Amino acid sequence: MTIRAMCDTFDVTPRTLRFYEAKELLSPIREGQKRLFTRRDRGRLKLILRGKRFGFTLEDIRQLLSLYDLGDQQQTQLKRTLEIARQRLDAMRQQRADLDSAIGELDEQIIAGQQLLTEKMRQSAA
Amino acid sequence: MTIRAMCDTFDVTPRTLRFYEAKELLSPIREGQKRLFTRRDRGRLKLILRGKRFGFTLEDIRQLLSLYDLGDQQQTQLKRTLEIARQRLDAMRQQRADLDSAIGELDEQIIAGQQLLTEKMRQSAA
DNA sequence: AGACAAGTTGACGTGAAGGTCATTGTAACG
DNA sequence: CGTTACAATGACCTTCACGTCAACTTGTCT
């Protein structure tokens, strides 16, 4: 798959794909000087984009990608990766809790603001 | 309240407070050249920090702060602010949904990784 | 051969949210 | 009066995730 096809498929720019390659998140093969993205790259890119939506940094993602790429992993390495993943999971659960209470609070604020607005409208109507 | 007291109370650096002043999030009064932070500043800082934990940008926060500061607000202005708040609320709900599914998926991945590790351990034990 | 598209590398720019000096000011202590 | 300590200002630095632009190759069509 050429870089253009990748960009169209995943809605990213060429710059992004080259950037990910530089960061060792992707490793397209070369035909001459051109990049060709394989099935593997497509799979990884999907995961990268998902990871990004969830607020992982690219470096986090680079480490987590090894979860999906375990062929020759050592046990120690795998343990480390699981550890990282668990930490992220905890962080995400915490974030989820924060977000939830934030939503509640903001919701209340909006209701209060809405009431204030309604009062004002009654006032200027009178 | 001096800048030091503020920093200790809210666990931020002086740089941060000066930065927020430059961004018009805070407006401490001056005694000579020194900043003195009032009740109002303390209230606003609390809100700023909460907003930050929830992923608002400082510019978002600057706008939302007017929700708490409505004395001379016009209705039109208030409506705008409510609109912004509602948009953020929607974004946050979306973010929460994303986060939920991410948590679920990551959880599964970890379980899978854990099983793989267990197998490996059995192998090397045999 | 000319021209165009699509690709490449390299270098520099961007915005958010501060960090990190270096320098200068001011006030209180002994 | 000198030292310490806390403040202030200004200027540049940092990280992340790319954007932007220039200059150059390669391949293809006509």
Side-chain angles (χ1 to χ4, degrees):
Chain A
M1 213 175 194
T2 86
I3 204 170
R4 240 344 308 141
M6 284 291 276
C7 292
D8 293 349
T9 306
F10 293 99
D11 195 32
V12 295
T13 69
R15 178 68 174 97
T16 300
L17 294 180
R18 294 186 193 115
F19 185 72
Y20 290 169
E21 184 181 359
K23 291 272 166 169
E24 299 181 75
L25 295 171
L26 298 178
S27 40
I29 57 178
R30 297 307 177 105
E31 191 192 51
Q33 66 161 357
K34 298 198 171 178
R35 289 169 178 81
L36 287 184
F37 295 85
T38 65
R39 253 165 268 70
R40 182 160 179 278
D41 293 311
R42 290 194 284 279
R44 291 172 74 94
L45 183 52
K46 246 181 234 171
L47 295 173
I48 293 168
L49 296 177
R50 202 178 60 182
K52 270 174 56 65
R53 286 196 301 119
F54 305 146
F56 289 77
T57 70
L58 292 185
E59 177 55 21
D60 284 341
I61 293 172
R62 200 181 62 71
Q63 303 203 30
L64 286 175
L65 275 176
S66 55
L67 253 178
Y68 296 85
D69 196 23
L70 295 166
D72 52 348
Q73 292 272 331
Q74 305 309 317
Q75 291 184 19
T76 336
Q77 181 58 25
L78 178 50
K79 278 185 192 170
R80 274 274 302 135
T81 307
L82 281 172
E83 216 176 296
I84 293 170
R86 288 210 185 86
Q87 281 174 23
R88 278 306 303 170
L89 186 58
D90 284 353
M92 285 164 72
R93 290 197 166 124
Q94 181 57 53
Q95 193 186 336
R96 149 81 211 211
D98 286 357
L99 190 54
D100 208 32
S101 82
I103 287 174
E105 290 176 36
L106 184 51
D107 202 17
E108 283 176 33
Q109 286 302 327
I110 288 175
I111 291 171
Q114 184 58 54
Q115 275 176 355
L116 213 140
L117 182 60
T118 311
E119 280 172 36
K120 284 201 177 222
M121 283 169 67
R122 258 202 290 276
Q123 275 174 31
S124 37
Chain B
M1 211 176 195
T2 85
I3 203 172
R4 231 4 286 152
M6 283 293 274
C7 292
D8 293 348
T9 307
F10 294 98
D11 194 33
V12 295
T13 70
R15 177 66 173 99
T16 300
L17 295 179
R18 294 186 193 117
F19 185 70
Y20 290 170
E21 184 181 0
K23 292 272 166 169
E24 297 181 77
L25 295 171
L26 298 176
S27 40
I29 57 178
R30 298 304 178 107
E31 191 192 50
Q33 64 162 358
K34 298 198 172 176
R35 289 170 177 80
L36 287 183
F37 295 85
T38 65
R39 252 165 269 71
R40 183 159 179 278
D41 293 311
R42 290 195 284 279
R44 291 172 73 94
L45 182 52
K46 245 180 236 172
L47 296 173
I48 293 168
L49 296 178
R50 203 178 57 181
K52 269 175 54 65
R53 286 196 302 116
F54 304 146
F56 289 77
T57 71
L58 293 183
E59 177 55 23
D60 284 342
I61 294 172
R62 200 181 63 71
Q63 303 203 29
L64 286 174
L65 275 175
S66 55
L67 252 177
Y68 296 85
D69 197 23
L70 296 165
D72 52 349
Q73 292 272 331
Q74 306 308 318
Q75 291 185 19
T76 334
Q77 182 58 27
L78 179 49
K79 278 185 192 170
R80 274 271 303 134
T81 306
L82 280 172
E83 214 176 298
I84 293 170
R86 288 209 185 88
Q87 283 174 21
R88 280 304 304 170
L89 186 58
D90 284 353
M92 285 163 72
R93 289 195 167 124
Q94 181 58 53
Q95 196 187 334
R96 183 174 57 181
D98 286 356
L99 193 53
D100 273 350
S101 82
I103 287 173
E105 290 176 37
L106 184 51
D107 203 15
E108 284 176 32
Q109 287 301 329
I110 288 176
I111 291 170
Q114 183 59 54
Q115 275 175 355
L116 213 140
L117 182 60
T118 312
E119 283 173 35
K120 284 200 177 222
M121 284 168 68
R122 258 201 291 276
Q123 277 172 30
S124 37

